[in-house]
Amino acid sequence: MKTVKLFAISLFVIASAFSPFTAGAQSSETPVRTAFIKHPGAEDAKTFFASNTNFLFEVYKVGSKEDIGKILSAFGKDAAVENISQGVVTGDYTAFSLSLKSAKDKDWFVKTFKKAGLNTIHLNNHPTVPVEKM
């Protein structure tokens, strides 16, 4: 009887190690410098970006002051930008406030995010994706 219990416990432990829940948890690490946008209108990225001029986004593990400067510079050098500023740092997230002179399409954001070194984005509760696929 002890052998059967020992075998059952061993089998459970081995099966747990290869569970899809465990495997998913190990591979779901958020990439550094991921832009996070939390806004009800962001469910449809194309419409959201094309119909607004003010944006608040956070960047996960932005990096050094030079990395922050790169983000501010990439947006700030663009003629379409009225203002870009760093906001509050909350844990691993650094907020940025962006104001545009006029609304821009999603492609403009893809290009500018990539210029700033932000290659992945997380919109609301959707999975993190490359900016080109938002």
Side-chain angles (χ1 to χ4, degrees), residues 6 12 17 19 31-32 38-39 55 61 69 72 79 81 90 96 99 104 112 125 133:
L6 183 59
F12 176 75
S19 164
V32 295
K38 300 172 198 159
H39 189 282
F55 299 90
K61 293 188 178 180
L72 294 172
V81 174
T90 307
F96 291 89
S99 295
K104 294 293 176 189
T112 310
N125 291 327
K133 295 185 179 186

PDB file of all heavy atoms in Angstrom, residues 6 12 17 19 31-32 38-39 55 61 69 72 79 81 90 96 99 104 112 125 133:
ATOM      1  N   LEU A   6       3.122   6.103  -2.599  1.00  0.00           N
ATOM      2  CA  LEU A   6       4.345   6.765  -3.022  1.00  0.00           C
ATOM      3  C   LEU A   6       4.343   6.974  -4.535  1.00  0.00           C
ATOM      4  O   LEU A   6       4.698   8.053  -5.029  1.00  0.00           O
ATOM      5  CB  LEU A   6       5.579   5.960  -2.601  1.00  0.00           C
ATOM      6  CG  LEU A   6       6.924   6.577  -2.914  1.00  0.00           C
ATOM      7  CD1 LEU A   6       7.070   7.938  -2.237  1.00  0.00           C
ATOM      8  CD2 LEU A   6       8.049   5.660  -2.493  1.00  0.00           C
ATOM      9  N   PHE A  12       1.787  12.546  -9.293  1.00  0.00           N
ATOM     10  CA  PHE A  12       1.159  13.861  -9.164  1.00  0.00           C
ATOM     11  C   PHE A  12       2.192  14.980  -9.269  1.00  0.00           C
ATOM     12  O   PHE A  12       1.985  15.976  -9.964  1.00  0.00           O
ATOM     13  CB  PHE A  12       0.408  13.958  -7.828  1.00  0.00           C
ATOM     14  CG  PHE A  12      -0.177  15.303  -7.576  1.00  0.00           C
ATOM     15  CD1 PHE A  12      -1.317  15.726  -8.245  1.00  0.00           C
ATOM     16  CD2 PHE A  12       0.421  16.183  -6.683  1.00  0.00           C
ATOM     17  CE1 PHE A  12      -1.848  16.981  -8.031  1.00  0.00           C
ATOM     18  CE2 PHE A  12      -0.093  17.438  -6.458  1.00  0.00           C
ATOM     19  CZ  PHE A  12      -1.234  17.837  -7.120  1.00  0.00           C
ATOM     20  N   ALA A  17       4.502  19.349 -12.671  1.00  0.00           N
ATOM     21  CA  ALA A  17       5.634  20.071 -13.246  1.00  0.00           C
ATOM     22  C   ALA A  17       5.427  20.343 -14.735  1.00  0.00           C
ATOM     23  O   ALA A  17       5.946  21.323 -15.264  1.00  0.00           O
ATOM     24  CB  ALA A  17       6.922  19.289 -13.032  1.00  0.00           C
ATOM     25  N   SER A  19       2.370  20.652 -16.196  1.00  0.00           N
ATOM     26  CA  SER A  19       1.018  21.171 -16.380  1.00  0.00           C
ATOM     27  C   SER A  19       1.034  22.384 -17.298  1.00  0.00           C
ATOM     28  O   SER A  19       1.943  23.195 -17.257  1.00  0.00           O
ATOM     29  CB  SER A  19       0.453  21.562 -15.012  1.00  0.00           C
ATOM     30  OG  SER A  19      -0.661  22.386 -15.155  1.00  0.00           O
ATOM     31  N   PRO A  31       8.007  41.597 -21.307  1.00  0.00           N
ATOM     32  CA  PRO A  31       9.288  42.153 -21.772  1.00  0.00           C
ATOM     33  C   PRO A  31       9.538  43.550 -21.188  1.00  0.00           C
ATOM     34  O   PRO A  31       8.590  44.318 -20.987  1.00  0.00           O
ATOM     35  CB  PRO A  31       9.124  42.240 -23.290  1.00  0.00           C
ATOM     36  CG  PRO A  31       7.972  41.367 -23.620  1.00  0.00           C
ATOM     37  CD  PRO A  31       7.095  41.340 -22.413  1.00  0.00           C
ATOM     38  N   VAL A  32      10.805  43.859 -20.931  1.00  0.00           N
ATOM     39  CA  VAL A  32      11.132  45.204 -20.444  1.00  0.00           C
ATOM     40  C   VAL A  32      10.771  46.211 -21.520  1.00  0.00           C
ATOM     41  O   VAL A  32      10.706  45.896 -22.702  1.00  0.00           O
ATOM     42  CB  VAL A  32      12.625  45.325 -20.052  1.00  0.00           C
ATOM     43  CG1 VAL A  32      12.942  44.425 -18.880  1.00  0.00           C
ATOM     44  CG2 VAL A  32      13.531  45.046 -21.214  1.00  0.00           C
ATOM     45  N   LYS A  38      -4.092  51.705 -20.426  1.00  0.00           N
ATOM     46  CA  LYS A  38      -5.317  51.242 -19.771  1.00  0.00           C
ATOM     47  C   LYS A  38      -6.377  52.313 -19.999  1.00  0.00           C
ATOM     48  O   LYS A  38      -6.339  53.371 -19.379  1.00  0.00           O
ATOM     49  CB  LYS A  38      -5.066  51.042 -18.284  1.00  0.00           C
ATOM     50  CG  LYS A  38      -3.992  50.022 -17.979  1.00  0.00           C
ATOM     51  CD  LYS A  38      -3.651  50.021 -16.517  1.00  0.00           C
ATOM     52  CE  LYS A  38      -2.321  49.341 -16.314  1.00  0.00           C
ATOM     53  NZ  LYS A  38      -1.689  49.709 -15.059  1.00  0.00           N
ATOM     54  N   HIS A  39      -7.267  52.051 -20.916  1.00  0.00           N
ATOM     55  CA  HIS A  39      -8.322  53.004 -21.248  1.00  0.00           C
ATOM     56  C   HIS A  39      -9.458  52.231 -21.901  1.00  0.00           C
ATOM     57  O   HIS A  39      -9.208  51.400 -22.787  1.00  0.00           O
ATOM     58  CB  HIS A  39      -7.776  54.071 -22.205  1.00  0.00           C
ATOM     59  CG  HIS A  39      -8.710  55.200 -22.428  1.00  0.00           C
ATOM     60  ND1 HIS A  39      -9.794  55.122 -23.261  1.00  0.00           N
ATOM     61  CD2 HIS A  39      -8.719  56.447 -21.891  1.00  0.00           C
ATOM     62  CE1 HIS A  39     -10.432  56.266 -23.255  1.00  0.00           C
ATOM     63  NE2 HIS A  39      -9.795  57.090 -22.427  1.00  0.00           N
ATOM     64  N   PHE A  55      -2.767  61.301 -24.269  1.00  0.00           N
ATOM     65  CA  PHE A  55      -2.562  59.907 -23.906  1.00  0.00           C
ATOM     66  C   PHE A  55      -1.736  59.808 -22.629  1.00  0.00           C
ATOM     67  O   PHE A  55      -0.819  60.611 -22.410  1.00  0.00           O
ATOM     68  CB  PHE A  55      -1.820  59.156 -25.020  1.00  0.00           C
ATOM     69  CG  PHE A  55      -2.564  59.142 -26.309  1.00  0.00           C
ATOM     70  CD1 PHE A  55      -2.373  60.151 -27.248  1.00  0.00           C
ATOM     71  CD2 PHE A  55      -3.468  58.144 -26.596  1.00  0.00           C
ATOM     72  CE1 PHE A  55      -3.062  60.161 -28.435  1.00  0.00           C
ATOM     73  CE2 PHE A  55      -4.169  58.139 -27.788  1.00  0.00           C
ATOM     74  CZ  PHE A  55      -3.970  59.150 -28.714  1.00  0.00           C
ATOM     75  N   LYS A  61       9.488  48.571 -16.534  1.00  0.00           N
ATOM     76  CA  LYS A  61      10.948  48.486 -16.417  1.00  0.00           C
ATOM     77  C   LYS A  61      11.635  49.288 -17.516  1.00  0.00           C
ATOM     78  O   LYS A  61      12.352  48.754 -18.352  1.00  0.00           O
ATOM     79  CB  LYS A  61      11.413  47.028 -16.417  1.00  0.00           C
ATOM     80  CG  LYS A  61      10.979  46.265 -15.187  1.00  0.00           C
ATOM     81  CD  LYS A  61      11.603  44.890 -15.119  1.00  0.00           C
ATOM     82  CE  LYS A  61      11.179  44.185 -13.846  1.00  0.00           C
ATOM     83  NZ  LYS A  61      11.753  42.855 -13.724  1.00  0.00           N
ATOM     84  N   GLY A  69      15.256  59.293 -21.307  1.00  0.00           N
ATOM     85  CA  GLY A  69      15.581  60.386 -22.227  1.00  0.00           C
ATOM     86  C   GLY A  69      15.339  60.017 -23.671  1.00  0.00           C
ATOM     87  O   GLY A  69      14.888  60.842 -24.472  1.00  0.00           O
ATOM     88  N   LEU A  72      11.556  60.237 -24.243  1.00  0.00           N
ATOM     89  CA  LEU A  72      11.145  61.646 -24.305  1.00  0.00           C
ATOM     90  C   LEU A  72      11.637  62.304 -25.591  1.00  0.00           C
ATOM     91  O   LEU A  72      10.905  63.061 -26.231  1.00  0.00           O
ATOM     92  CB  LEU A  72      11.673  62.398 -23.081  1.00  0.00           C
ATOM     93  CG  LEU A  72      11.082  61.980 -21.731  1.00  0.00           C
ATOM     94  CD1 LEU A  72      11.821  62.661 -20.586  1.00  0.00           C
ATOM     95  CD2 LEU A  72       9.598  62.271 -21.671  1.00  0.00           C
ATOM     96  N   ALA A  79       7.280  66.628 -34.911  1.00  0.00           N
ATOM     97  CA  ALA A  79       6.537  67.885 -35.062  1.00  0.00           C
ATOM     98  C   ALA A  79       5.074  67.763 -34.645  1.00  0.00           C
ATOM     99  O   ALA A  79       4.437  68.769 -34.320  1.00  0.00           O
ATOM    100  CB  ALA A  79       6.620  68.359 -36.516  1.00  0.00           C
ATOM    101  N   VAL A  81       3.984  66.362 -31.959  1.00  0.00           N
ATOM    102  CA  VAL A  81       3.864  66.318 -30.502  1.00  0.00           C
ATOM    103  C   VAL A  81       3.856  67.725 -29.922  1.00  0.00           C
ATOM    104  O   VAL A  81       4.748  68.528 -30.182  1.00  0.00           O
ATOM    105  CB  VAL A  81       5.018  65.485 -29.886  1.00  0.00           C
ATOM    106  CG1 VAL A  81       4.989  65.557 -28.367  1.00  0.00           C
ATOM    107  CG2 VAL A  81       4.929  64.050 -30.357  1.00  0.00           C
ATOM    108  N   THR A  90       5.717  54.161 -10.376  1.00  0.00           N
ATOM    109  CA  THR A  90       5.026  53.294  -9.435  1.00  0.00           C
ATOM    110  C   THR A  90       5.598  51.891  -9.584  1.00  0.00           C
ATOM    111  O   THR A  90       5.287  51.192 -10.553  1.00  0.00           O
ATOM    112  CB  THR A  90       3.507  53.270  -9.718  1.00  0.00           C
ATOM    113  OG1 THR A  90       3.024  54.608  -9.760  1.00  0.00           O
ATOM    114  CG2 THR A  90       2.774  52.490  -8.654  1.00  0.00           C
ATOM    115  N   PHE A  96       4.048  58.211 -18.573  1.00  0.00           N
ATOM    116  CA  PHE A  96       4.361  59.275 -19.518  1.00  0.00           C
ATOM    117  C   PHE A  96       3.050  59.896 -19.967  1.00  0.00           C
ATOM    118  O   PHE A  96       2.063  59.197 -20.198  1.00  0.00           O
ATOM    119  CB  PHE A  96       5.113  58.736 -20.749  1.00  0.00           C
ATOM    120  CG  PHE A  96       6.502  58.271 -20.441  1.00  0.00           C
ATOM    121  CD1 PHE A  96       6.740  56.969 -20.052  1.00  0.00           C
ATOM    122  CD2 PHE A  96       7.575  59.148 -20.524  1.00  0.00           C
ATOM    123  CE1 PHE A  96       8.016  56.536 -19.753  1.00  0.00           C
ATOM    124  CE2 PHE A  96       8.860  58.721 -20.231  1.00  0.00           C
ATOM    125  CZ  PHE A  96       9.084  57.411 -19.844  1.00  0.00           C
ATOM    126  N   SER A  99       0.768  64.702 -25.321  1.00  0.00           N
ATOM    127  CA  SER A  99      -0.246  65.550 -25.966  1.00  0.00           C
ATOM    128  C   SER A  99       0.182  65.796 -27.401  1.00  0.00           C
ATOM    129  O   SER A  99       1.321  66.196 -27.656  1.00  0.00           O
ATOM    130  CB  SER A  99      -0.374  66.896 -25.252  1.00  0.00           C
ATOM    131  OG  SER A  99      -0.850  66.724 -23.956  1.00  0.00           O
ATOM    132  N   LYS A 104      -3.433  61.412 -34.523  1.00  0.00           N
ATOM    133  CA  LYS A 104      -2.598  60.647 -35.454  1.00  0.00           C
ATOM    134  C   LYS A 104      -3.124  59.227 -35.538  1.00  0.00           C
ATOM    135  O   LYS A 104      -3.736  58.719 -34.595  1.00  0.00           O
ATOM    136  CB  LYS A 104      -1.141  60.624 -34.975  1.00  0.00           C
ATOM    137  CG  LYS A 104      -0.478  61.972 -34.992  1.00  0.00           C
ATOM    138  CD  LYS A 104      -0.335  62.432 -36.419  1.00  0.00           C
ATOM    139  CE  LYS A 104       0.232  63.821 -36.521  1.00  0.00           C
ATOM    140  NZ  LYS A 104       0.183  64.342 -37.869  1.00  0.00           N
ATOM    141  N   THR A 112       6.565  55.645 -33.905  1.00  0.00           N
ATOM    142  CA  THR A 112       7.164  56.434 -32.832  1.00  0.00           C
ATOM    143  C   THR A 112       7.507  55.573 -31.622  1.00  0.00           C
ATOM    144  O   THR A 112       8.551  55.771 -30.998  1.00  0.00           O
ATOM    145  CB  THR A 112       6.235  57.593 -32.441  1.00  0.00           C
ATOM    146  OG1 THR A 112       5.839  58.290 -33.636  1.00  0.00           O
ATOM    147  CG2 THR A 112       6.935  58.577 -31.533  1.00  0.00           C
ATOM    148  N   ASN A 125      -6.684  44.498 -20.948  1.00  0.00           N
ATOM    149  CA  ASN A 125      -6.451  43.132 -20.457  1.00  0.00           C
ATOM    150  C   ASN A 125      -6.042  42.173 -21.565  1.00  0.00           C
ATOM    151  O   ASN A 125      -6.093  40.967 -21.391  1.00  0.00           O
ATOM    152  CB  ASN A 125      -7.700  42.604 -19.751  1.00  0.00           C
ATOM    153  CG  ASN A 125      -7.954  43.327 -18.453  1.00  0.00           C
ATOM    154  OD1 ASN A 125      -7.017  43.743 -17.780  1.00  0.00           O
ATOM    155  ND2 ASN A 125      -9.208  43.499 -18.100  1.00  0.00           N
ATOM    156  N   LYS A 133       1.392  44.737 -34.119  1.00  0.00           N
ATOM    157  CA  LYS A 133       0.195  43.886 -34.106  1.00  0.00           C
ATOM    158  C   LYS A 133      -0.905  44.404 -33.199  1.00  0.00           C
ATOM    159  O   LYS A 133      -1.888  43.719 -32.987  1.00  0.00           O
ATOM    160  CB  LYS A 133       0.588  42.469 -33.694  1.00  0.00           C
ATOM    161  CG  LYS A 133       1.483  41.821 -34.709  1.00  0.00           C
ATOM    162  CD  LYS A 133       1.763  40.386 -34.354  1.00  0.00           C
ATOM    163  CE  LYS A 133       2.652  39.776 -35.440  1.00  0.00           C
ATOM    164  NZ  LYS A 133       2.858  38.359 -35.240  1.00  0.00           N
TER     165      LYS A 133
END
